[in-house]
């Protein structure tokens, strides 16, 4: 946890975040570009593929989604510079598809809904409803066609059969452990070394109510978030979207020790909120300023 505590201590100023966002975008663009070449020229694995990464295929899919988020962000931020965002969106989509992971798809859907709430125009809601309907119908017919792939089968199973591939079992099993030891919890893993695949249930299972309170204290500063923080500096937006993206991931995958990206972006978001909150407090109190009414 030391790196994440260090992140919380960083003042993510507007200038710093602008530079950092550009570095992350270029880094992901290069890495996923190399991964694309590796898959196309070397492995030819297009299902549950991690590309050049040693991480699990689910995480690789989320790397693709992160690049899509940044590509869309830069596309609308700088309409005159479209080549890199379009290339990034293509590489991100390719990475997401070859990962065959459903979690990035779910996270992407949540991000789209959040953005639609922000825009909040009827025509976009109608467009989204039409897209969802066409998507579901397409998955149903593709499942029983010659074009069916493992990814389509997995999405079909999730939508039409509610098949979570064992996650429901481990989720309920983790809750049973918590009910047996509500105050301080029980073991951190099951006998087969598996875990609940949900961070909140896992905390309750392994640390009980006491651990859940500590988790709540860690995230308490999220309550200070105000939408105007993003409106005042649009470069904060990707980090809030990343936090939501990986918050979705920790509801369905990995144990609490393996969700590095979630802890990283939660620390960044907490730091950004605290920085904006402190700046807001200073603007209300001019005693610390060299000019203004005293």
């Amino acid at each position: 946890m030391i790196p994440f505590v260090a992140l919380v201590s960083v003042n993510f100023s507007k200038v710093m975040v602008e530079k950092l966002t550009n570095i992350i975008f270029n880094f992901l663009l290069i890495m996923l570009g190399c991964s694309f070449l590796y898959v196309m020229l070397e492995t030819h694995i297009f299902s549950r593929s991690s590309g050049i990464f040693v991480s699990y295929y689910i995480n690789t899919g989320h790397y693709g989604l992160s690049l899509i988020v940044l590509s869309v962000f830069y596309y609308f931020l700088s309409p005159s510079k479209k080549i890199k965002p379009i290339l990034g969106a293509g590489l991100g989509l390719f990475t997401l598809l070859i990962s065959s992971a459903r979690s990035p798809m779910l996270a992407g859907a949540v991000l789209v809904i959040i953005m639609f709430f922000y825009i909040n125009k009827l025509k976009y809601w109608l467009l989204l409803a039409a897209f969802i309907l066409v998507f579901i119908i397409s998955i149903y017919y593709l499942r029983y066609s010659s074009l069916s792939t493992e990814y389509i089968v997995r999405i079909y199973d999730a939508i039409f059969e509610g098949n979570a591939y064992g996650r429901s079992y481990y989720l309920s099993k983790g809750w049973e452990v918590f009910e047996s030891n509500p105050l301080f919890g029980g073991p951190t893993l099951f006998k087969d070394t598996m875990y609940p695949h949900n961070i909140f249930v896992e905390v309750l299972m392994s640390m009980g109510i006491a651990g859940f309170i500590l988790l709540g204290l860690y995230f308490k500063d999220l309550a200070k978030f105000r939408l105007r923080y993003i409106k005042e500096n649009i470069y904060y937006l990707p980090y809030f979207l990343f936090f939501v993206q990986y918050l979705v991931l920790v509801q369905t995958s990995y144990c609490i020790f393996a969700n590095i990206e979630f802890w990283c972006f939660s620390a960044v978001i907490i730091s950004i909120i605290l920085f904006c909150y402190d700046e807001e407090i200073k603007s209300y109190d001019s005693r610390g300023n060299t000019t203004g009414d005293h």
Side-chain angles (χ1 to χ4, degrees):
M1 297 298 291
I2 293 176
F4 309 126
V5 173
L7 277 174
V8 175
S9 305
V10 175
N11 287 329
F12 285 92
S13 64
K14 296 178 181 180
V15 175
M16 177 183 178
V17 169
E18 182 176 347
K19 293 180 179 179
L20 182 62
T21 306
N22 188 55
I23 291 172
I24 294 174
F25 176 63
N26 289 324
F27 175 76
L28 282 175
L29 193 65
I30 293 171
M31 294 301 293
L32 294 191
C34 293
S35 183
F36 169 79
L37 294 175
Y38 178 69
V39 171
M40 297 299 294
L41 300 176
E42 185 68 24
T43 67
H44 303 110
I45 299 175
F46 300 98
S47 179
R48 299 197 188 192
S49 172
S50 296
I52 63 171
F53 302 100
V54 295
S55 58
Y56 202 41
Y57 69 91
I58 296 176
N59 253 354
T60 301
H62 275 275
Y63 300 155
L65 178 59
S66 296
L67 183 57
I68 292 173
V69 169
L70 284 177
S71 298
V72 173
F73 172 75
Y74 275 111
Y75 183 87
F76 288 102
L77 188 67
S78 303
S80 61
K81 301 177 181 178
K82 295 182 178 181
I83 296 179
K84 283 176 64 176
I86 292 175
L87 177 61
L91 288 173
L93 183 62
F94 175 82
T95 305
L96 192 154
L97 291 177
I98 65 169
S99 73
S100 303
R102 297 174 295 178
S103 174
M105 293 274 294
L106 177 61
V110 172
L111 295 182
V112 169
I113 291 173
I114 289 175
M115 295 307 297
F116 273 52
F117 269 113
Y118 178 76
I119 300 171
N120 200 24
K121 291 185 178 181
L122 179 59
K123 63 178 181 179
Y124 291 111
W125 285 113
L126 293 175
L127 183 64
L128 179 62
F131 173 80
I132 293 174
L133 182 61
V134 171
F135 178 79
I136 292 175
I137 293 174
S138 299
I139 291 297
Y140 181 83
Y141 282 102
L142 285 172
R143 168 65 178 84
Y144 297 102
S145 73
S146 58
L147 299 175
S148 180
T149 63
E150 181 187 3
Y151 198 17
I152 292 174
V153 171
R154 287 165 62 82
I155 296 175
Y156 176 92
D157 290 345
I159 295 175
F160 294 99
E161 297 182 2
N163 188 345
Y165 292 85
R167 284 175 171 79
S168 299
Y169 168 76
Y170 289 113
L171 193 66
S172 60
K173 195 173 180 181
W175 186 258
E176 289 175 3
V177 173
F178 163 67
E179 289 182 324
S180 302
N181 308 273
L183 191 56
F184 296 107
T188 56
L189 295 171
F190 302 126
K191 291 183 179 179
D192 59 358
T193 72
M194 291 301 286
Y195 39 87
H197 290 76
N198 180 287
I199 189 172
F200 299 112
V201 174
E202 185 177 0
V203 168
L204 287 171
M205 179 190 84
S206 59
M207 291 177 279
I209 296 174
F212 201 78
I213 291 174
L214 291 175
L215 186 69
L217 291 174
Y218 176 76
F219 286 109
K220 71 181 189 307
D221 290 314
L222 291 178
K224 296 177 181 177
F225 170 71
R226 299 293 182 270
L227 191 60
R228 62 177 174 271
Y229 296 161
I230 295 177
K231 292 182 177 179
E232 291 171 358
N233 182 17
I234 195 63
Y235 279 95
Y236 286 145
L237 177 60
Y239 299 94
F240 284 93
L241 296 179
F242 290 156
F243 171 67
V244 174
Q245 173 189 340
Y246 286 101
L247 180 61
V248 173
L249 172 62
V250 298
Q251 307 308 307
T252 59
S253 303
Y254 294 116
C255 68
I256 193 172
F257 301 105
N259 284 302
I260 304 301
E261 292 82 4
F262 170 71
W263 291 114
C264 175
F265 285 114
S266 67
V268 170
I269 285 306
I270 291 172
S271 181
I272 288 175
I273 291 173
L274 290 176
F275 175 80
C276 293
Y277 184 78
D278 289 342
E279 290 294 303
E280 189 175 48
I281 295 299
K282 290 177 183 178
S283 68
Y284 290 146
D285 185 0
S286 63
R287 289 176 296 178
N289 300 328
T290 58
T291 60
D293 297 330
H294 297 273

